[in-house]
Structures are given as structure tokens and as C-alpha cells.
């Protein structure tokens, strides 16, 4: 985690915090929170918010809480609560001692609402949903006062208590803040504070409540109850800030956090909206929230993206107030740089072509020694079995080729990675003219010889046929064919931009045996092919399924 603490990028939020700290505004205290609504899994946009909130708390020696803003039981589930905890933890942040639920403040929030009624700042409104909309007015026309706005405090208190007691039907009444129906800001036109939901079961509070607080009301008060000093949220809440402050000022809470908005992360060729990701999952456009093509934290984890790379990405994109859209290449280069440094190397042949070494003894096996990393010797070495029959990749052979093709060509030589130089003597084809086997000879004097002393055109990877382990490889491409799938005004449904070829499965591949013993979260560089890791759900012993985490080089620039 030191890299977060050690790299202190300057941004407008830090400037605000610095000046608040200098002015000793909150008595030297600094506190943030990450406040997800448990109605879906976290995505890469949330990672930006998590890294920002937890990262600032570390830098300013303050505190960051994880708070579930669980005020809408209809859409929330325990499954999401658990998944969010797992993801935040995996990203590298501790919250165990500071884990909160807005729902645990329900009693306090109720008491604040009673206070608002007693002060004449809230009322029970009986307008129907449709009438409420009508009375609210529009962006250009002011709203109208509800006929229930001037109810007596006594009547309001009585009705609100009976709302809580479950006397009234869902939707029949609302508790509303008495702010200003003529405000230019629609959020201030007597917003709802409580709604009736009699028959839902809340994942934390069960059936204890028949009424639930609205997000805008619960959010600012939860911040205040927890003693948050800086409440960071995305730009769409800018227009809600006057309401945030109105609640806190009107209730006169002990703490008054400062809300600061920043721009959300939009990532090209994917979507960062929980609601839309829910649609992909529920419509079976992907295989669940942890599908490795999803921009969710759980999907990226399964795909093999290291947590450290996601944190590095969040640092690199920075925090501003400008709407922006980040190129996928930036995320991928963070992943690639991390894996290049940390991934052990191995050899896998994705599309095998059989090679028989004619002058190699039939039953012999040699255990050749190969480094696990080309630069990092501390990663050690491994044994790679070599035998008479091998596989190389089909794309690494041509019967004829010019000098640019630095692989195996008929009657020419190539070096087998970590092994010998071989020459292709004979090409065997099937009745359709397809190359099915190569007969080669090896030069026994070339093992471990400095490549400078025995120059050949190129180096290719290989796997011993007898020792190699078959594996299935899932190759992922971009999930959408459009850089901004959910912003295309020409289509109503962003799913039309889904890439039909975003998942291709290779079933003929074969990998060196050392890989079969690997842990599922270990990402390998299969030399010359890319980065791959065992799929945590589909891989079982004796049945290897690998995901391609990422290509060796950036493939976005030339194709997008
Ligand atoms: P969505 O719009 O994707 O459904 P949300 O904002 O409603 O997401 P919450 O669970 O309320 O989801 O978000 C928790 C926190 O994460 C909030 O503070 C929110 O502002 C922040 N957040 C959500 N999406 C992004 C994003 N794309 N970039 C940065 N922060 C985000
Ligand atoms: Mg939200």
C-alpha cells in the first residue's frame, strides 16, 4: 500500500483539504467514506472512488469508513453486501473496524425526521405519485405548494407515526421536507424524506420498518453521524448539495461534512453504470457479474488483473471536475506493466503443430532448466521436459518465407526457447494439403550455448507432446464495439453495441506441466502469447481452463 501513500498527486480535492487542515476546520480530523448502495457489484468506476477515499484517509492520517447506503430494500441484497466487502478488501483497503450501514441509523434518522416536523420543516403529503410530479413543476416552471403543506405539526406527527406503524398503504403518503416549491433547483422543491414500503424485507433490519428514508436524506445525515469531514461524490450530486446542506443546517447536526464533487470515470468500450451492468447480467448477455469481460472488480479479479494495477490506474487517471472518457489502453498498460514485472514465464502452444525430432532417442526425456523470469533471477528456475515429439504453434511455421519471418521455415533453423536449435527437414501434409507434422533434426551441441555464438533467425516456444497438459483457453476481446456504447443517441438499447466475438474459446491448446500445479490466481506470461491465468470457477484438477488476462502488446491503438 506504500505506493499510494508515497505518491501524493496534487488535485483540487487535496487543495481543499489542505486549506481546511491549515485552518484547523475540523479540529485536525480528517474522515471520508465510501458509500455504496448494495444493489449490484462494484465496477472500475467505484474503484476510482474507493482509491480516492481510502487513499486520502491514509495520506492525511485520517479515517475512511465503508458505509452501505442501504435505504432501498427493494433493490438490495445480502449477496451484494458480501461481494462489495470482498472487492474493497481485495483492492487492498481495510475497513473491518469501520464498517457501517445507513440502516443502523434508522432510529436516529426517524428521530431527526420527527424533529423536522416539530420545527415545521417537514410534512406528511397525501398527493399521489402522479400529482406529486405535476405539482413539482419543470426545469422552466416553478412548482406548486401541496395542499397538505400547511398541515398542523400535531397532525403531521400523528400521521408520520402511523406511517411507521404500517397503517397506510405503499405510495399513499410521503413525508416531505418543507423547503421551497419555487426553487430553481428542483431538488429543493419539497423533496421526499420517507416513503412507505410495508411488505419488503430489508437485508439488515428485516421487517422492523414500514417506512424507509430517501437517499438524499439518509446520506448526508449518515455522513454527519459518522463524523465524516469531506464527503466526496460524483458530479451528478452537485445539484443535490444545497439539499445536503439544507438538511444538516436545518437539523443542526453536530458535524457538518463538506460535500465535494468530482467527475465519474467513464471507460471506453465498456460501461460503468451499475444499472446497465445489471441489465447485462439479468439479460444473460454475459455470464454473471464476475464474467471476465465485465468491468466489475470481481470480473477483473477473475480475469487476472492485479489489485495493484487497478490502484495504479486510479492514480494515473487522477481526479478532476471535467467529464472525461478514459481509453482502455491506459487500464491495460497498468495491468501489462505490473504483469510483465511479476508474472512467471511458461510455455503454452495455443494452436499446436506436431514436430518429431528424428535424431532424438525414442524414450529419452531431458529435464531442461528454464528461468521463470528473464530479468528477475529471484523468481528462480523450473524444469521443462524435452522429448522426441513436441508441439509448436502453427503460426510459427511456413514452408517458404522471406527473411522477415523469424520463425521456422522448411530447410532452415530456429531455436527452441530454453532448448536446442532444430532444423526442419520434411513437411508432412494430409490429403487436403494441410501441414500436419514436421520432421526436424536437433543439434545436441546447442543447448545452453550463447545465442550470439550460434546465430539462428529466431526463437519459438514449444511443449513436449508426452508431458504437455491440454488446456482450454478463453480469449477475450472488448465487450462492446462502440467506444461509448451507452451514449450513442442513434440507438435506444446499448446492448446492440455488444461485440459478438468478445469471447473465443480455444480447445486444442497445450501447456508445459509446471503450470498445472499453479494456484488459480497466478497469472503467467505464456511466452510470445500473452498473459493467462487459470479460471477460478471453471478450472478443476485434471481440467485446466485458462483466461487470457491481456495481450503482450497494446492492441487498441491500431484497431480502435
Ligand atoms: P451507478 O450509477 O453505476 O449505478 P452509483 O453511483 O449509483 O453507480 P453507488 O453504489 O451509489 O453507485 O456508488 C458508490 C460511490 O461510488 C458513490 O460515491 C459514487 O459517486 C461512486 N461512483 C459510482 N460510479 C462511479 C464512477 N463511474 N466513477 C467514480 N465514482 C463512482
Ligand atoms: Mg448512487
Amino acid at each position: 500500500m506504500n505506493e499510494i501513500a508515497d505518491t501524493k498527486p496534487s488535485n483540487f480535492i487535496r487543495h481543499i483539504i489542505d486549506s481546511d487542515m491549515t485552518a484547523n476546520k475540523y479540529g485536525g480530523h480528517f474522515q471520508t467514506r465510501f458509500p455504496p448502495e448494495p444493489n449490484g457489484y462494484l465496477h472500475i468506476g467505484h474503484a476510482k472512488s474507493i482509491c480516492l477515499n481510502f487513499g486520502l484517509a491514509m495520506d492525511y492520517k485520517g479515517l475512511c469508513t465503508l458505509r452501505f447506503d442501504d435505504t432501498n430494500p427493494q433493490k438490495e441484497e445480502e449477496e451484494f453486501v458480501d461481494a462489495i466487502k470482498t472487492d474493497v478488501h481485495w483492492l487492498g483497503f481495510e475497513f473491518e473496524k469501520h464498517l457501517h450501514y445507513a440502516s443502523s441509523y434508522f432510529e436516529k434518522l426517524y428521530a431527526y425526521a420527527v424533529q423536522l416536523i416539530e420545527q415545521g420543516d417537514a410534512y406528511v403529503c397525501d398527493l399521489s405519485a402522479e400529482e406529486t410530479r405535476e405539482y413539482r413543476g419543470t426545469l422552466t416552471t416553478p412548482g406548486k405548494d401541496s395542499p397538505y403543506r400547511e398541515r398542523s405539526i400535531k397532525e403531521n406527527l400523528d400521521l408520520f407515526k402511523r406511517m411507521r406503524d404500517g397503517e397506510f398503504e405503499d405510495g399513499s403518503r410521503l413525508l416531505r421536507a418543507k423547503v421551497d416549491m419555487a426553487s430553481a433547483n428542483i431538488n429543493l422543491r419539497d423533496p421526499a424524506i420517507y416513503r412507505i414500503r410495508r411488505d419488503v424485507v430489508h437485508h439488515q433490519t428485516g421487517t422492523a420498518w414500514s417506512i424507509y428514508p430517501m437517499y438524499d436524506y439518509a446520506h448526508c445525515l449518515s455522513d454527519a453521524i459518522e463524523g465524516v469531514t469531506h464527503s466526496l461524490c460524483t458530479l451528478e450530486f452537485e445539484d443535490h448539495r444545497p439539499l445536503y446542506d439544507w438538511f444538516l443546517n436545518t437539523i443542526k447536526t453536530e458535524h457538518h461534512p463538506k460535500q465535494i464533487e468530482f467527475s465519474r470515470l467513464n471507460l471506453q468500450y465498456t460501461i460503468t453504470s451499475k444499472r446497465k451492468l445489471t441489465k447485462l447480467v439479468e439479460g444473460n448477455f454475459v455470464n454473471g457479474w464476475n464474467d471476465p469481460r465485465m468491468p466489475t472488480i470481481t470480473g477483473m479479479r477473475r480475469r487476472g488483473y492485479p489489485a495493484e494495477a487497478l490502484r495504479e490506474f486510479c492514480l494515473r487517471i487522477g481526479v478532476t471536475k471535467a467529464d472525461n472518457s478514459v481509453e482502455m489502453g491506459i487500464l491495460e498498460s497498468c495491468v501489462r506493466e505490473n504483469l510483465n514485472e511479476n508474472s512467471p514465464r511458461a510455455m503454452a502452444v495455443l494452436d499446436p503443430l506436431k514436430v518429431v525430432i528424428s535424431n532424438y532417442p525414442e524414450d529419452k526425456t531431458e529435464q531442461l532448466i528454464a528461468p521463470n523470469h528473464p530479468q528477475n533471477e529471484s523468481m528462480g528456475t523450473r524444469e521443462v521436459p524435452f522429448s522426441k515429439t513436441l508441439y509448436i504453434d502453427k503460426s510459427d511455421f511456413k514452408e517458404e518465407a522471406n527473411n522477415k519471418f523469424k520463425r521456422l521455415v522448411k530447410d532452415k533453423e530456429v531455436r527452441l526457447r530454453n532448448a536446442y536449435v532444430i532444423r526442419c527437414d520434411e513437411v508432412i501434409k494430409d490429403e487436403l494439403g494441410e501441414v500436419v507434422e514436421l520432421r526436424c533434426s536437433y543439434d545436441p551441441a546447442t543447448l545452453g550455448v550463447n545465442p550470439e555464438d550460434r546465430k539462428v533467425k529466431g526463437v519459438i516456444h514449444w511443449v513436449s507432446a508426452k508431458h504437455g497438459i491440454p488446456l482450454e483457453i478463453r480469449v477475450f476481446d472488448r465487450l462492446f464495439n462502440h467506444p461509448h456504447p451507452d451514449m450513442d443517441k442513434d440507438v435506444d438499447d446499448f446492448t446492440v453495441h455488444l461485440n459478438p466475438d468478445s469471447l473465443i474459446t480455444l480447445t486444442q491448446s497445450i501447456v508445459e506441466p509446471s503450470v498445472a500445479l499453479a494456484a488459480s490466481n497466478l497469472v503467467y506470461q505464456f511466452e510470445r502469447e500473452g498473459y493467462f491465468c487459470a479460471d477460478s470457477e471453471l478450472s478443476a484438477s485434471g481440467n485446466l481452463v485458462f483466461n487470457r488476462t491481456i495481450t503482450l502488446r497494446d492492441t487498441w491503438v491500431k484497431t480502435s
Side-chain angles (χ1 to χ4, degrees):
M1 300 309 305
N2 286 337
E3 69 276 20
I4 290 178
D6 291 342
T7 323
K8 291 185 182 159
S10 172
N11 62 47
F12 79 100
I13 295 182
R14 283 172 189 268
H15 292 162
I16 296 172
I17 299 169
D18 286 340
S19 78
D20 286 347
M21 297 298 261
T22 309
N24 204 22
K25 195 150 180 210
Y26 301 96
H29 184 58
F30 177 74
Q31 189 169 326
T32 54
R33 82 287 170 268
F34 173 63
E37 213 181 319
N39 58 357
Y41 280 62
L42 299 180
H43 53 64
I44 184 74
H46 293 118
K48 171 175 174 174
S49 176
I50 294 167
C51 290
L52 177 66
N53 281 295
F54 281 92
L56 287 170
M58 281 184 201
D59 288 354
Y60 287 92
K61 306 213 169 6
L63 179 68
C64 178
T65 62
L66 171 62
R67 182 179 70 237
F68 289 101
D69 268 341
D70 52 350
T71 55
N72 185 3
Q74 274 172 319
K75 291 191 172 168
E76 297 164 4
E77 284 172 33
E78 190 71 31
E79 176 199 345
F80 300 136
V81 170
D82 293 340
I84 289 169
K85 286 199 246 175
T86 304
D87 287 349
V88 175
H89 212 230
W90 177 77
L91 270 176
F93 301 103
E94 295 296 330
F95 54 81
E96 275 69 19
K97 291 197 206 106
H98 307 287
L99 172 63
H100 301 292
Y101 294 83
S103 57
S104 55
Y105 311 137
F106 278 175
E107 204 60 63
K108 256 189 189 155
L109 298 176
Y110 180 82
Y112 283 138
V114 169
Q115 180 192 331
L116 285 176
I117 296 173
E118 285 170 343
Q119 289 174 192
D121 290 317
Y123 61 97
V124 173
C125 181
D126 303 354
L127 290 179
S128 68
E130 199 176 314
E131 289 165 329
T132 306
R133 248 191 316 276
E134 251 167 57
Y135 274 75
R136 189 178 298 129
T138 66
L139 283 175
T140 47
T141 55
K144 278 190 305 188
D145 284 0
S146 158
Y148 303 98
R149 202 172 197 261
E150 298 309 328
R151 261 186 169 140
S152 72
I153 290 173
K154 192 165 165 239
E155 191 184 359
N156 279 321
L157 285 173
D158 172 62
L159 286 172
F160 187 47
K161 171 149 194 323
R162 287 161 61 194
M163 278 168 67
R164 175 179 182 162
D165 291 343
E167 256 189 60
F168 309 121
E169 275 180 33
D170 286 15
S172 61
R173 291 195 154 92
L174 284 176
L175 181 71
R176 296 175 69 177
K178 198 188 276 187
V179 191
D180 178 8
M181 288 307 291
S183 172
N185 182 339
I186 287 191
N187 296 303
L188 293 179
R189 293 184 190 167
D190 290 10
I193 307 180
Y194 270 90
R195 67 202 134 172
I196 304 171
R197 291 281 181 273
R198 287 196 303 190
D199 299 322
V200 293
V201 180
H202 188 286
H203 49 98
Q204 303 299 319
T205 59
T207 53
W209 290 85
S210 297
I211 52 172
Y212 289 93
M214 301 301 289
Y215 182 86
D216 276 341
Y217 173 74
H219 186 78
C220 57
L221 287 166
S222 302
D223 281 351
I225 290 168
E226 288 173 6
V228 166
T229 57
H230 295 80
S231 177
L232 314 179
C233 60
T234 34
L235 279 177
E236 68 269 24
F237 290 102
E238 197 164 21
D239 291 345
H240 296 240
R241 183 167 10 106
L243 182 59
Y244 186 103
D245 290 330
W246 186 90
F247 280 127
L248 299 187
N249 288 331
T250 309
I251 291 171
K252 299 189 181 61
T253 51
E254 191 184 336
H255 298 285
H256 191 135
K258 179 183 274 185
Q259 176 177 309
I260 306 169
E261 307 87 17
F262 62 95
S263 62
R264 39 190 313 129
L265 165 69
N266 297 307
L267 191 59
Q268 292 186 4
Y269 292 97
T270 191
I271 46 181
T272 46
S273 152
K274 240 187 311 182
R275 189 171 45 83
K276 290 172 189 160
L277 293 175
T278 305
K279 183 169 176 184
L280 290 183
V281 173
E282 290 180 351
N284 292 318
F285 294 103
V286 292
N287 301 314
W289 287 98
N290 68 349
D291 188 309
R293 294 167 294 179
M294 288 281 271
T296 50
I297 312 267
T298 178
M300 292 182 173
R301 175 166 64 241
R302 183 171 168 197
R303 183 163 173 162
Y305 285 14
E308 209 183 355
L310 297 191
R311 295 199 303 264
E312 172 62 25
F313 169 70
C314 293
L315 260 189
R316 267 189 217 179
I317 55 175
V319 186
T320 67
K321 261 189 177 302
D323 257 331
N324 57 8
S325 154
V326 174
E327 285 173 26
M328 188 60 102
I330 297 179
L331 172 62
E332 292 198 346
S333 65
C334 292
V335 173
R336 197 175 282 119
E337 282 168 28
N338 185 293
L339 293 178
N340 182 39
E341 205 170 302
N342 300 313
S343 291
R345 271 47 173 178
M347 293 192 288
V349 173
L350 271 47
D351 188 12
L353 172 62
K354 190 172 171 186
V355 171
V356 176
I357 313 287
S358 323
N359 59 340
Y360 197 86
E362 193 73 46
D363 298 325
K364 183 171 173 182
T365 296
E366 276 178 280
Q367 294 293 347
L368 306 181
I369 304 297
N372 288 329
H373 194 281
Q375 284 92 35
N376 185 352
E377 282 183 20
S378 73
M379 287 174 73
T381 59
R382 68 190 189 282
E383 291 188 333
V384 185
F386 186 89
S387 66
K388 187 177 179 73
T389 307
L390 315 170
Y391 289 115
I392 65 167
D393 200 273
K394 274 199 184 119
S395 63
D396 282 338
F397 173 75
K398 276 188 186 170
E399 273 192 276
E400 284 174 56
N402 62 22
N403 278 347
K404 284 201 192 120
F405 187 75
K406 296 191 180 353
R407 311 177 199 181
L408 185 59
V409 179
K410 169 112 190 335
D411 298 326
K412 304 230 166 100
E413 287 186 331
V414 80
R415 176 175 287 279
L416 295 177
R417 186 106 177 130
N418 304 310
Y420 301 96
V421 171
I422 59 168
R423 165 188 294 276
C424 175
D425 307 315
E426 190 185 345
V427 178
I428 298 176
K429 297 181 182 171
D430 65 11
E431 56 278 15
L432 298 171
E434 184 99 8
V435 177
V436 290
E437 185 181 321
L438 305 177
R439 296 278 161 86
C440 298
S441 47
Y442 85 117
D443 179 350
T446 52
L447 184 66
V449 169
N450 188 339
E452 289 302 311
D453 297 337
R454 176 68 153 82
K455 286 211 168 108
V456 289
K457 269 276 164 45
V459 182
I460 62 172
H461 59 281
W462 55 276
V463 170
S464 161
K466 177 157 75 178
H467 304 93
I469 311 223
L471 81 167
E472 184 177 307
I473 292 187
R474 308 200 306 156
V475 176
F476 306 111
D477 197 355
R478 61 189 67 181
L479 187 53
F480 289 94
N481 280 325
H482 193 288
H484 313 288
D486 49 348
M487 287 181 228
D488 179 2
K489 295 201 174 55
D490 295 335
V491 301
D492 295 334
D493 181 1
F494 67 92
T495 62
V496 302
H497 290 306
L498 279 163
N499 172 10
D501 301 319
S502 59
L503 168 61
I504 291 171
T505 303
L506 308 178
T507 55
Q508 305 296 317
S509 310
I510 184 158
V511 67
E512 62 168 86
S514 69
V515 167
L517 308 168
S520 68
N521 56 358
L522 183 61
V523 183
Y524 283 92
Q525 185 193 102
F526 288 164
E527 296 200 53
R528 304 178 60 240
E529 295 290 2
Y531 295 93
F532 298 81
C533 70
D535 186 88
S536 52
E537 291 200 357
L538 304 175
S539 242
S541 58
N543 179 22
L544 286 189
V545 180
F546 267 61
N547 294 322
R548 185 172 77 186
T549 306
I550 196 163
T551 50
L552 279 181
R553 275 168 286 278
D554 190 352
T555 53
W556 292 84
V557 180
K558 62 174 191 289
T559 50
S560 57

